[in-house]
Amino acid sequence: TQLLEQSPQFLSIQEGENLTVYCNSSSVFSSLQWYRQEPGEGPVLLVTVVTGGEVKKLKRLTFQFGDARKDSSLHITAAQPGDTGLYLCAGAASGGSNYKLTFGKGTLLTVNP
Amino acid sequence: NAGVMQNPRHLVRRRGQEARLRCSPMKGHSHVYWYRQLPEEGLKFMVYLQKENIIDESGMPKERFSAEFPKEGPSILRIQQVVRGDSAAYFCASSLTSTAVGTGGHEQYFGPGTRLTVT
């Protein structure tokens, strides 16, 4: 069974601060996706990383996939209250079942004005 | 350009009743996935369907749960004789393809979910 551990579980910061959240596993994934989920809604896809060592930027968000494709990080620069939400990472299995996503429990981020 | 649609958004059932959850995938998507999110837990894969075919139901309980994706109409997740432990948020996702890692076609887009409460 593949497991994804996300840390920290909770993060409360002030507007303008930087932060990094982590997603770690002992398993290799064919790709990894980051989602943001707001209360009462479904996860919204932010980015997919596929290649080991890959870095993708989405405005103030920087996503990195580990060289071994077992871990990932999300860095937010100058956080804003609109960044508040539950950040989820999800790994796609290697091989024939790569449609099956394994989710971490998420990092609940609160950005205070 | 409608995204994944699910209905109802909220469903209350008494123990022993049936729950039917509906999912319409994004336009052009023929792959549908169902996930369940229990309180304090991450989303868990339940089942993967293509039109008229169940491809992988390894995450779905063997009893009381069934899923279908008919040729016409939405995908349905059906829970018979619900129990309190079935209370959860059920999410449907769809993708353009299921493989083709690296081209983005396999990316899964989620609906808003159905919150099932069993009383």
Side-chain angles (χ1 to χ4, degrees):
Chain A
T1 303
Q2 296 181 308
L3 291 173
L4 272 171
E5 300 286 339
Q6 287 192 245
S7 61
Q9 192 176 353
F10 300 97
L11 187 56
S12 180
I13 61 171
Q14 294 301 121
E15 183 175 0
E17 292 183 358
N18 301 333
L19 66 113
T20 303
V21 299
Y22 300 93
C23 177
N24 294 294
S25 176
S26 57
S27 303
V28 176
F29 294 101
S30 61
S31 68
L32 195 137
Q33 301 178 18
W34 282 92
Y35 293 85
R36 190 173 93 186
Q37 184 178 21
E38 304 209 9
E41 298 296 329
V44 175
L45 181 64
L46 297 174
V47 79
T48 300
V49 285
V50 178
T51 307
E54 182 177 4
V55 176
K56 277 192 175 177
K57 292 195 174 186
L58 189 66
K59 296 184 181 177
R60 294 176 294 101
L61 278 60
T62 301
F63 304 86
Q64 185 160 10
F65 202 12
D67 291 340
R69 306 208 319 271
K70 293 182 180 181
D71 53 81
S72 182
S73 64
L74 158 59
H75 182 80
I76 302 179
T77 304
Q80 299 176 1
D83 296 326
T84 293
L86 179 67
Y87 288 82
L88 299 166
C89 64
S94 297
S97 299
N98 62 359
Y99 51 80
K100 193 181 293 187
L101 294 181
T102 298
F103 277 84
K105 291 185 180 181
T107 292
L108 185 58
L109 171 65
T110 303
V111 182
N112 302 298
Chain B
N1 186 17
V4 177
M5 299 174 69
Q6 289 188 250
N7 67 82
R9 292 291 304 272
H10 299 274
L11 183 60
V12 179
R13 284 287 178 266
R14 284 197 284 270
R15 276 180 299 170
Q17 290 185 319
E18 179 180 288
R20 277 183 176 242
L21 288 60
R22 294 175 190 77
C23 168
S24 296
M26 281 180 73
K27 189 175 181 181
H29 286 190
S30 59
H31 301 258
V32 166
Y33 315 82
W34 286 92
Y35 291 81
R36 178 163 66 175
Q37 188 175 39
L38 291 165
E40 309 301 322
E41 301 217 1
L43 283 88
K44 303 285 188 200
F45 169 83
M46 298 180 73
V47 61
Y48 161 40
L49 309 105
Q50 294 178 25
K51 286 282 187 182
E52 301 183 280
N53 283 304
I54 297 174
I55 308 301
D56 182 346
E57 56 183 350
S58 59
M60 203 153 67
K62 299 266 186 283
E63 296 180 355
R64 302 187 298 107
F65 285 72
S66 62
E68 63 177 11
F69 189 15
K71 189 176 179 182
E72 301 290 337
S75 175
I76 307 283
L77 179 67
R78 183 180 175 208
I79 311 172
Q80 295 177 291
Q81 299 175 329
V82 296
V83 300
R84 288 224 172 102
D86 296 333
S87 295
Y90 291 83
F91 291 96
C92 166
S94 73
S95 69
L96 192 58
T97 71
S98 64
T99 54
V101 172
T103 67
H106 68 297
E107 291 172 337
Q108 295 181 24
Y109 294 86
F110 283 77
T114 293
R115 270 108 191 127
L116 173 65
T117 302
V118 179
T119 61

